[in-house]
């Protein structure tokens, strides 16, 4: 699994962190998403897909 | 279930389509939208798109190829005009009739108009991408801009147009911008910010009329007699649910589509997004949210509940979350931030332009607001989630 982030789209909602805290965090200054792991273990796929689906800015792309 | 119809081809409608496919629905999926463009996102409209920083296609919610993957009967530029819940048929403006086994209503809102002025050239509302591009084109001549309404939308439009170097006046009946949305404490900070950036504020004032010459707006008049010269006026005084097509259908209507706790409005009919009104336990009554995250979250729940059937359906109890971007400031809210709440700063400092404020009613925390403080706010959001679930 590969995760791609479009920082320019991210609105800092943090929904991704609530959905998958092992994979996503937010920068302190502006809340923009930080990828903790761009190739997380497969077991986290459902959480990561959920984060991508719930991101209000569609800033997360998951390539399986 | 063989055929599901989704009406409203924007954030909520498209998320519902996505969810249905992801949950394994293989039948026919019709997505009906009255706009001609492929589904796009609205938050960037009053920000990046109006500023000219984003080309319009950047706001698309899906690439064409991803839309095709959803294998939809996509009907754009096509308005739903009626619903027959007994026959289970949606009628369309082009005369077509779509039978359904399941229906999700996601028709959002339409901007409220003033009782005067909208026949004049130069007077705008902003809800769609086309309206945004029309307004943006008019800003190129460097006009004097009057924005009527200092809620989230009006405040953003004032900030964006001021960012383009234009002469901008913001008018509202309330004492401060965002007063109704987040109260006058934070509203006062927003007022300071507008002033610091050179936006003229007329707070506590009613607009009583507009004048024009040769069919073009020239001025806005206020209840104290002030006459504000204007070449462009943007009216941002709120929106009303787009439910006119449901009149007489038997779907319960009030402030939006009146659903039960599971987003169901009638057997096999669900609603999601800005148009949906449902009882929320933490609010102690019915709510309707005009927030982008809600459109997604509610559409996911509505789509799942439609597929699972009423017995397995789960109640929808989100912690509301919204944001606005003004100048270089990001303001985020979670829960409810009513204007009559007491406001305590619990992190950071307004002087430093970075803080979290908690909103309390009767000593109970009902919401939190972050000002340039997204990461700190998240902890409070999780706490609110616990209190909502409890
Ligand atoms: C300019 C702007 C900026 C915003 N900024 C923010 C922000 O910063 N943060 C935030 O949290 N929220 C923001 N919002 C709110 C957010 O965009 C909405 O909550 C979200 O768009 C709701 O999605 P929806 O799909 O429910 O409704 P909508 O986006 O309104 O979509 C409804 C669709 O249904 C169509 N439709 C209506 N009637 C019919 C019919 N009879 N037949 C067929 N189609 C029909 C409409 O044309 C529309 O395309 C903003 C909104 C606007 C307008
Ligand atoms: S959910 Fe999306 S918008 Fe929010 S922080 Fe994560 S990537 Fe950014």
């Amino acid at each position: 699994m590969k995760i791609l982030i479009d920082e320019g789209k991210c609105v800092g909602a943090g929904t991704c962190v609530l959905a998958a805290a092992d994979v996503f965090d937010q920068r302190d200054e502006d809340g923009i998403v930080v990828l903790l792991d761009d190739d997380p273990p497969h077991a986290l796929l459902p959480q990561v897909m959920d984060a991508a689906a719930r991101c209000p800015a569609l800033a997360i792309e998951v390539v399986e | 279930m063989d055929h599901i119809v989704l009406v409203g081809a924007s954030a909520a409608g498209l998320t519902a389509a996505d969810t249905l496919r992801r949950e394994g629905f293989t039948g026919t999926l019709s997505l009906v939208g009255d706009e001609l463009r492929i589904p796009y996102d609205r938050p960037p409209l009053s920000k990046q798109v109006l500023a000219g920083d984003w080309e319009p296609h950047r706001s698309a919610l899906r690439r064409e190829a991803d839309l095709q993957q959803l294998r939809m009967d996509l009907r754009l530029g096509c308005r739903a005009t009626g619903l027959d819940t007994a026959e289970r048929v949606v009628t369309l403006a082009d005369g077509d009739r779509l039978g359904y086994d399941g229906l999700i209503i996601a028709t959002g809102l339409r901007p409220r108009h003033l009782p005067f002025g909208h026949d004049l050239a130069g007077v705008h509302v902003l809800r769609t991408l086309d309206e945004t591009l029309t307004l943006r084109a008019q800003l190129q001549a460097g006009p004097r801009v009057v924005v009527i309404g200092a809620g989230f939308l009006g405040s953003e439009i004032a900030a964006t147009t001021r960012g383009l170097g234009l002469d901008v006046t913001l008018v509202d009946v309330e004492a401060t911008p965002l007063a109704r949305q987040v109260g006058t404490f934070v509203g006062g900070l927003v007022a300071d910010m507008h002033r610091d950036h050179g936006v003229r504020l007329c707070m506590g004032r009613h607009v009583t009329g507009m004048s024009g010459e040769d069919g073009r707006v020239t001025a806005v008049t206020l209840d104290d007699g002030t006459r504000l010269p204007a070449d462009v006026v943007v009216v941002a005084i709120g929106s009303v649910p787009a439910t006119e097509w449901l009149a007489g259908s038997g779907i319960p209507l009030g402030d939006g589509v009146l659903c039960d706790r599971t987003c169901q409005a009638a057997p096999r009919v669900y609603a999601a997004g800005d148009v949906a009104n449902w009882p929320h336990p933490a609010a102690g009554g019915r709510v309707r949210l005009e927030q982008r995250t809600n459109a997604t979250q509610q559409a996911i729940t509505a789509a799942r509940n439609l597929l699972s059937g009423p017995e397995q359906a789960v109640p929808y109890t989100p912690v509301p979350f919204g944001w606005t971007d003004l100048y270089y400031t990001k303001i985020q809210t979670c829960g409810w931030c009513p204007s009559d709440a007491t406001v305590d700063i619990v992190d950071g400092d307004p002087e430093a332009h970075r803080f979290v404020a908690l909103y309390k009613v009767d000593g109970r925390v009902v919401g939190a607001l972050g000002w340039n403080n997204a990461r700190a706010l998240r902890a409070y959001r999780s706490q609110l989630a616990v209190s909502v679930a409890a």
Side-chain angles (χ1 to χ4, degrees):
Chain A
M1 167 177 31
K2 272 270 168 242
I3 302 176
L4 307 171
I5 298 280
D6 185 341
E7 277 197 15
K9 281 194 168 177
C10 172
V11 296
T15 314
C16 53
V17 190
L18 297 176
D22 291 336
V23 181
F24 303 101
D25 196 358
Q26 287 176 282
R27 282 207 298 251
D28 242 337
E29 321 85 78
D30 52 8
I32 299 293
V33 61
V34 176
L35 202 51
L36 298 175
D37 186 348
D38 69 352
D39 185 12
H42 198 75
L44 290 178
L45 184 65
Q47 282 179 41
V48 171
M49 292 299 283
D50 192 45
R54 286 177 196 270
C55 168
L58 297 163
I60 303 170
E61 191 179 344
V62 185
V63 187
E64 277 172 68
Chain B
M1 232 178 271
D2 294 327
H3 192 178
I4 296 179
V5 174
L6 312 167
V7 184
S10 190
L14 193 56
T15 303
D18 225 22
T19 307
L20 291 168
R21 286 299 186 220
R22 209 176 323 197
E23 302 275 318
F25 175 71
T26 53
T28 309
L29 202 53
S30 299
L31 179 62
V32 180
D34 62 357
E35 295 185 68
L36 271 169
R37 296 183 178 268
I38 63 162
Y40 60 86
D41 208 9
R42 281 174 222 281
L45 298 184
S46 48
K47 308 174 185 79
Q48 296 92 334
V49 178
L50 185 61
D53 294 342
W54 282 21
E55 280 320 305
H57 66 82
R58 228 189 134 186
S59 63
L61 283 167
R62 292 285 183 291
R63 287 181 291 242
E64 294 267 7
D66 296 331
L67 277 180
Q68 273 161 24
Q69 280 208 339
L70 289 171
R71 289 168 289 113
M72 291 186 296
D73 162 32
L74 182 58
R75 308 207 180 200
L76 297 178
C78 180
R79 177 183 294 265
T81 50
L83 170 64
D84 183 333
T85 47
E87 298 287 324
R88 290 209 216 117
V89 170
V90 175
T91 37
L92 306 178
D94 61 11
D96 240 359
R97 294 161 55 81
L98 286 175
Y100 65 82
D101 303 305
L103 171 68
I104 297 181
I105 299 168
T107 45
L109 309 174
R110 292 195 203 292
R112 188 177 288 140
H113 283 204
L114 285 168
F116 46 77
H118 290 273
D119 51 330
L120 293 168
V123 178
H124 301 261
V125 293
L126 197 163
R127 178 89 195 165
T128 68
L129 180 51
D130 290 289
E131 286 161 352
T132 309
L133 297 177
T134 307
L135 174 59
R136 175 169 126 179
Q138 294 219 354
L139 297 179
Q140 269 158 20
R144 290 162 299 183
V145 181
V146 173
V147 181
I148 303 174
F152 284 118
L153 184 58
S155 288
E156 286 183 7
I157 294 167
T160 302
T161 49
R162 184 63 200 134
L164 295 170
L166 304 176
D167 177 274
V168 182
T169 306
L170 181 60
V171 185
D172 200 289
V173 295
E174 300 288 336
T176 73
L178 299 181
R180 238 174 286 188
Q181 288 77 13
V182 297
T184 50
F185 173 71
V186 174
L189 300 175
V190 172
D192 293 343
M193 189 160 61
H194 277 309
R195 279 193 211 98
D196 290 347
H197 284 86
V199 168
R200 199 175 304 112
L201 294 182
C202 297
M203 293 296 117
R205 293 268 78 94
H206 277 272
V207 173
T208 51
M210 277 189 228
S211 26
E213 245 172 64
D214 301 328
R216 231 204 124 76
V217 71
T218 52
V220 171
T221 32
L222 307 183
D223 54 358
D224 62 351
T226 308
R227 190 168 175 283
L228 302 168
D231 310 298
V232 166
V233 174
V234 190
V235 178
I237 54 170
S239 304
V240 289
T243 53
E244 62 293 329
W245 65 285
L246 297 167
S249 65
I251 296 289
L253 301 175
D255 175 31
V257 173
L258 304 181
C259 309
D260 69 10
R261 303 182 315 144
T262 67
C263 310
Q264 190 183 43
R268 295 172 188 246
V269 182
Y270 288 76
D274 284 8
V275 78
N277 178 314
W278 82 105
H280 192 306
R286 289 191 161 273
V287 294
R288 195 173 61 69
L289 298 178
E290 300 181 7
Q291 294 172 331
R292 178 60 182 79
T293 43
N294 182 63
T296 299
Q297 314 270 34
Q298 193 165 23
I300 292 173
T301 302
R304 286 186 180 154
N305 284 347
L306 171 62
L307 286 182
S308 75
E311 262 81 69
Q312 269 77 48
V314 297
Y316 180 58
T317 56
V319 179
F321 177 85
W323 78 90
T324 181
D325 298 306
L326 302 170
Y327 309 101
Y328 299 104
T329 297
K330 183 177 286 296
I331 301 172
Q332 300 179 313
T333 60
C334 50
W336 284 269
C337 299
S339 46
D340 59 353
T342 46
V343 178
D344 295 333
I345 308 294
V346 290
D347 185 302
D349 180 1
E351 296 270 305
H353 307 289
R354 187 178 164 92
F355 63 90
V356 173
L358 286 189
Y359 285 66
K360 286 188 195 159
V361 173
D362 301 330
R364 197 172 64 93
V365 177
V366 293
L369 178 144
W371 181 292
N372 282 335
N373 214 350
R375 202 163 178 271
L377 181 68
R378 214 178 56 232
Y380 296 96
R381 192 172 167 194
S382 308
Q383 278 175 31
L384 281 164
V386 175
S387 66
V388 165

